[in-house]
Structures are given as structure tokens and as C-alpha cells.
Amino acid sequence: MNGVASAWYPLFSCEDFPLHLPEGHPFPHGKYSALEALLREAGFAGNLTRVGTASREKLELVHHEDYLNRVFGGCLTAEETRRLGFPWGPSYLNRALASVEATWQCALTVLAGKARVAGALAGGTHHAFADRGEGYCTFNDIAIASRYALSTSVDRVFVADLDAHQGNGTASVFAREPRVFTFSMHCEENYPRTKEKSSLDVGLPRGTGDDAYMEALEAYLPEALAYFSPELVFFQAGVDVLAVDRFGRLGLTLEGLRKRDVFVCDAVLSRGIPLVLTLGGGYQRDAAAVGRAHAQTYLTAAKVLARFV
């Protein structure tokens, strides 16, 4: 990162609200603290802010009242808790609220013109629907921030979802919203079993490696951006596309991941569009390794940004 200090951009962290999961739980929650530590050490320390929790009013931009009542009242059914994948409790609720707030603050920052890029060190919870949560996602942070953006001066929002899993919740929320373009490139033979219809879905075969992945991304993303001409882009930058991931079923190397991130950031910033980065999935058993993969994405964005400042 030498020579790109001018490209440090604002980051928003939720580390004051840690997840407390039982021993043996498959979600590598230690990736969050590892990621923040790596980015502080790399030079982001002066640009990193820890957020509080989002208000219920913000959640109501997307989520149904009866669902929110059950969440805040601690009245989720056993089936709802199973679909979420987390044991329900106050610490998890606060963490979910902070994740929404981090992405919200990113949107506020870029919409106010304070930065061209902002990053949430959480979020990307794209499996949350308006009326339910699924797959480690309680509230849909990108959908909520997108609704806020549309209530201001923004008329067109683009969601570039490159997690290994389809962004089914986001696609559902915006299924009848022409002002939001949902782009999801994911492993077709993977969770969720039943896919929603995004504005553009690119389903990849299991095991897709670097070259084929980039060929697909280069074929579809620029055309979609040119067609829709967005005023704001959210990048769901899941690292579960890596071959070493337990749940992603794709075959990227770390170098392939870097090329993906360079391409997306360049495609957005070269068009003069503000960019919000969110975390997305990453499920290696080694939480520190997942943190390093996520950190590579945020540092790659800083390198690309340096070309435009």
C-alpha cells in the first residue's frame, strides 16, 4: 500500500457489538476483529469509526412491522431461529442493528460528497427479506441504505452482489422497484435452493475458477452499469468465492479475488459513481484467514481509488 495514503477512505466498524456464539458454531465471527486489526495496521486507523445501533425507524424502510415486533420482542419461532442460523439474544440483535448502521453511515458519507468510497466492516446481509431473516442475515443493510438513498436526491441504485450465494433477500425486496438494479453473480448449485429473480442473475457452475469467473464478470457487469447508469453502487464483496471456503463452492484464488475487486472498483469509480463496500460471506474455519481475505478487498479498493484522486 505504499504511495496510496491519499486514497484512505472512511470505514465504519461494529466491533463495539461483538457476536457471542457458542463454541463450535460454524460462523467464523473472529473474522471481524481480525479484519479491523489488519486495516488499522495497514494505515486505515485514522479513517475508521465505530458505529452505534440503527434505530427501528431505519429498519421500517424495508422490514415489516410484525417481523420487527418478533425480533425486538425476542419472540422468533424455533423455525425462524433455525433459518437465521444464530441463537437469538440481545447481543446478536445489537450486532445486527450495528451492521445496518455501518452501511447507513457509508451511504450518508458518499451521498454527502465527503468521499468517493466508504466501507462497512460488516453487512452485506443479503438473505434478509422484508418479512423474515435467513442465512445469518436478520436485517438487509444494503436494502435499507438503498431505500434511504432513494428518499434523497438519488434516482438509481445498483447492487453488485458478488457473494458466492445469490442475494435472494435483496432481489425480493426490490422485485418491483425499477429504481434499483440488483446484479447477482453466484454459484448456481448452492444456497439458497430456491432463487429469487434479480434484475440480472449470473449463475456460475460449481468450481468456477479465476479465468472463467473474470470472463463472466467482464461480460456482464460493465454492460449492466452502462444500461442502468446508476448514481450509487453497493458492492457486496463476499470472499466465500474462494476455493478454500467451506460453503461457497466456487474456485477462486486470492489473486482471482484481487482481480475481481480491482475490476468492480474500477468499473464503478471510472464512471464517477460513489461506491459503498460491504463485507458479505466468508466461512473458512480459520477466522484470521477470512479476515485477511476481506482485508485484501478493502486494501484493493484503496489502491484503485488512488488512481482517481
Side-chain angles (χ1 to χ4, degrees):
M1 291 301 296
N2 291 338
V4 296
S6 63
W8 299 133
Y9 54 88
L11 296 178
F12 297 91
S13 164
C14 303
E15 280 309 283
D16 285 335
F17 301 93
L19 278 170
H20 297 292
L21 296 177
E23 186 176 352
H25 193 282
F27 188 86
H29 56 284
K31 70 178 188 175
Y32 297 110
S33 57
L35 170 62
E36 180 174 323
L38 286 166
L39 293 178
R40 285 184 180 276
E41 182 180 350
F44 269 108
N47 295 70
L48 197 150
T49 302
R50 288 186 172 181
V51 301
T53 55
S55 66
R56 176 164 172 159
E57 181 180 15
K58 293 175 181 176
L59 308 180
E60 290 170 351
L61 291 172
V62 166
H63 295 289
H64 294 178
E65 181 180 7
D66 57 345
Y67 173 57
L68 294 177
N69 286 341
R70 294 197 305 279
V71 170
F72 280 90
C75 301
L76 294 175
T77 66
E79 174 60 16
E80 286 177 311
T81 301
R82 184 193 69 78
R83 292 180 75 168
L84 272 177
F86 286 123
W88 193 246
S91 67
Y92 182 64
L93 172 59
N94 285 331
R95 177 71 189 200
L97 291 170
S99 294
V100 171
E101 186 64 20
T103 303
W104 182 282
Q105 290 300 325
C106 286
L108 283 180
T109 298
V110 299
L111 290 174
K114 296 178 180 179
R116 298 183 66 170
V117 177
L121 303 187
T125 46
H126 58 169
H127 299 311
F129 288 70
D131 62 348
R132 67 185 186 276
E134 296 181 354
Y136 305 140
C137 303
T138 305
F139 308 125
N140 196 311
D141 60 298
I142 290 177
I144 291 166
S146 295
R147 280 268 170 85
Y148 167 74
L150 292 171
S151 73
T152 61
S153 58
V154 171
D155 292 323
R156 295 179 306 282
V157 173
F158 191 103
V159 180
D161 191 327
L162 298 187
D163 195 272
H165 307 92
Q166 193 218 27
N168 57 338
T170 311
S172 173
V173 168
F174 293 124
R176 295 175 178 82
E177 175 52 85
R179 298 176 297 168
V180 177
F181 193 104
T182 51
F183 175 93
S184 181
M185 195 166 98
H186 51 267
C187 180
E188 187 67 20
E189 301 175 52
N190 205 340
Y191 178 91
R193 178 177 298 178
T194 301
K195 308 291 193 290
E196 299 292 326
K197 183 174 175 56
S198 307
S199 304
L200 178 59
D201 285 299
V202 181
L204 301 174
R206 188 168 182 162
T208 296
D210 293 353
D211 292 343
Y213 186 95
M214 287 306 302
E215 183 178 346
L217 186 62
E218 290 166 6
Y220 290 105
L221 182 64
E223 184 176 349
L225 288 169
Y227 162 77
F228 193 66
S229 190
E231 298 167 271
L232 175 64
V233 172
F234 290 89
F235 178 16
Q236 206 277 20
V239 301
D240 49 5
V241 295
L242 292 171
V244 292
D245 194 88
R246 286 182 290 168
F247 304 145
R249 300 183 181 177
L250 292 176
L252 270 65
T253 65
L254 279 170
E255 175 60 13
L257 181 71
R258 187 194 67 79
K259 289 180 179 178
R260 178 201 74 173
D261 297 337
V262 168
F263 187 81
V264 174
C265 293
D266 184 76
V268 175
L269 295 175
S270 66
R271 290 171 168 81
I273 308 167
L275 176 64
V276 171
L277 300 175
T278 68
L279 211 64
Y283 306 101
Q284 297 176 53
R285 294 184 187 279
D286 182 351
V290 186
R292 289 193 295 273
H294 283 303
Q296 177 180 282
T297 292
Y298 289 85
L299 295 171
T300 297
K303 290 182 178 180
V304 176
L305 178 61
R307 302 206 303 264
F308 298 97
V309 296

